[in-house]
Amino acid sequence: MKKAALVLEGGGNRGVFTAGVLDVLMEEQIFLPYVVGVSAGSCNAVDYVSRQPLRTKNCMIPEDGEAGNRLTVREMIRQRSLFDMDRLFAEYPYHQYPFDFETFFASQEQMRCEIVLTSCRTGEAVYAQEFEDPDRLMKLCRASCSLPLVAPIVTVDGEPYLDGGIADSIPVRRVLREGYKKCVVVTTRPYGYRKETSPLMLRLCRIQYGRKYPAFVKAFADRARVYNKTMELIERLEAKGHILVLRPETPVISKAETDQEKLLSFYEHGREVTARRLDELKAYLGV
């Protein structure tokens, strides 16, 4: 376990699948020493490190039936965002669904948690950590989750950032470069999925960011190619038994899914997949 890593893909509300996976791991007291999360995966990552089962699920599927992370059309226009980022990263962690900052910060002796951002200035992935400042930790998660075109740029330490998935959607190469021998990857797409570039989205990205952040636009244009090469690498490593991948085995929901029954079903699917493969996972990790 000392050289084992956990990689968490994003995918907006598809992250409820990952929440189901991690809740089973936490119930089984399986805590890998290195966790790296991207976009919605960063929210899952910090809740895993803070050892808070059900927190991600509750944030995405509030039990009281409130709107959760979704906005009305008027609110979308006012906040310039598809999701309610203020609720997710200000209201929830400090009030409605308190985040256990104390446990998270105390974990730095045993666990390493990286949050992936994409630098608007360079177009490159940044693997950020924070184990002291609550506000900065939430700002890093917010930046990692801020989708281009549908969320404002987030400034952290004077630098502009957007969704970590633009530069490194599934940071398996990061894990390998860091020397970790075991790697568990949680994806929110099924086996064989490949990404395609939307000409419309690329055109809008150029209009929105091209003048000030050309390197970011290049990263956006390259995203599908880089993602697909990463998926090919994951499938090769998986076939050789070098990594273990937990992924959806049923049709996936959209990143902006609003139907609570569908969200809950996808969460339960994450739990079911993990429970069914638990013995295999433990054998792979040697626990």
Side-chain angles (χ1 to χ4, degrees):
M1 287 282 284
K2 290 182 178 179
K3 297 300 288 185
L6 179 62
V7 176
L8 307 177
E9 184 182 14
N13 284 349
R14 283 192 297 273
V16 294
F17 173 84
T18 306
V21 172
L22 298 186
D23 282 354
V24 172
L25 296 189
M26 284 188 273
E27 290 163 9
E28 294 290 327
Q29 293 295 302
I30 298 175
F31 291 95
L32 280 66
Y34 175 33
V35 186
V36 54
V38 184
S39 194
S42 69
C43 299
N44 277 295
V46 297
D47 286 345
Y48 174 74
V49 175
S50 68
R51 305 193 177 207
Q52 290 182 270
L54 300 179
R55 185 177 182 277
T56 304
K57 170 181 176 281
N58 289 336
C59 289
M60 289 186 170
I61 321 172
E63 293 180 345
D64 57 14
E66 290 187 357
N69 60 14
R70 300 176 294 281
L71 292 170
T72 65
V73 173
R74 180 177 295 181
E75 290 171 331
M76 287 181 193
I77 295 171
R78 180 174 59 83
Q79 295 192 29
R80 295 180 294 119
S81 177
L82 179 63
F83 299 106
D84 192 340
M85 308 298 267
D86 290 340
R87 181 178 293 160
L88 286 172
F89 301 109
E91 173 63 25
Y92 281 179
Y94 294 103
H95 303 290
Q96 190 165 347
Y97 300 110
F99 180 78
D100 189 345
F101 290 103
E102 183 178 357
T103 297
F104 181 89
F105 293 151
S107 73
Q108 63 180 311
E109 298 293 330
Q110 298 85 28
M111 299 181 75
R112 173 184 178 186
C113 180
E114 291 185 338
I115 297 165
V116 184
L117 321 172
T118 299
S119 167
C120 296
R121 186 174 52 82
T122 67
E124 297 178 352
V126 174
Y127 306 90
Q129 298 185 72
E130 179 55 59
F131 283 98
E132 294 182 359
D133 185 339
D135 291 344
R136 185 174 184 272
L137 176 63
M138 289 298 106
K139 186 174 280 190
L140 290 174
C141 291
R142 181 172 185 152
S144 185
C145 292
S146 292
L147 300 170
L149 302 174
V150 297
I153 289 172
V154 178
T155 301
V156 183
D157 304 331
E159 287 292 315
Y161 296 103
L162 280 169
D163 181 16
I166 301 302
D168 194 357
S169 294
I170 312 176
V172 171
R173 290 183 179 85
R174 168 72 173 176
V175 168
L176 298 177
R177 286 196 301 267
E178 293 295 295
Y180 286 83
K181 305 301 182 184
K182 301 279 187 177
C183 180
V184 177
V185 180
V186 183
T187 75
T188 56
R189 293 287 195 176
Y191 182 87
Y193 172 79
R194 295 294 184 269
K195 193 176 292 293
E196 295 181 359
T197 300
S198 164
L200 174 60
M201 296 297 286
L202 180 56
R203 189 178 308 119
L204 292 174
C205 186
R206 286 185 175 127
I207 293 171
Q208 180 76 7
Y209 308 110
R211 191 169 183 178
K212 192 171 184 180
Y213 301 117
F216 178 81
V217 174
K218 183 178 184 304
F220 190 96
D222 288 345
R223 185 189 183 193
R225 179 184 62 82
V226 173
Y227 182 94
N228 293 341
K229 287 182 70 67
T230 299
M231 289 303 298
E232 291 168 5
L233 172 64
I234 287 172
E235 289 168 9
R236 289 199 304 271
L237 293 174
E238 181 183 23
K240 295 177 180 178
H242 296 326
I243 67 174
L244 188 143
V245 184
L246 299 171
R247 55 168 67 86
E249 298 173 4
T250 62
V252 302
I253 61 175
S254 76
K255 68 173 60 178
E257 181 59 65
T258 60
D259 186 287
Q260 291 204 341
E261 288 188 9
K262 291 181 179 178
L263 290 166
L264 182 58
S265 176
F266 206 48
Y267 165 81
E268 293 293 346
H269 181 56
R271 290 189 60 93
E272 184 273 325
V273 168
T274 310
R276 176 162 38 84
R277 299 187 62 191
L278 195 56
D279 289 343
E280 178 187 359
L281 175 65
K282 289 181 177 180
Y284 172 75
L285 293 173
V287 298

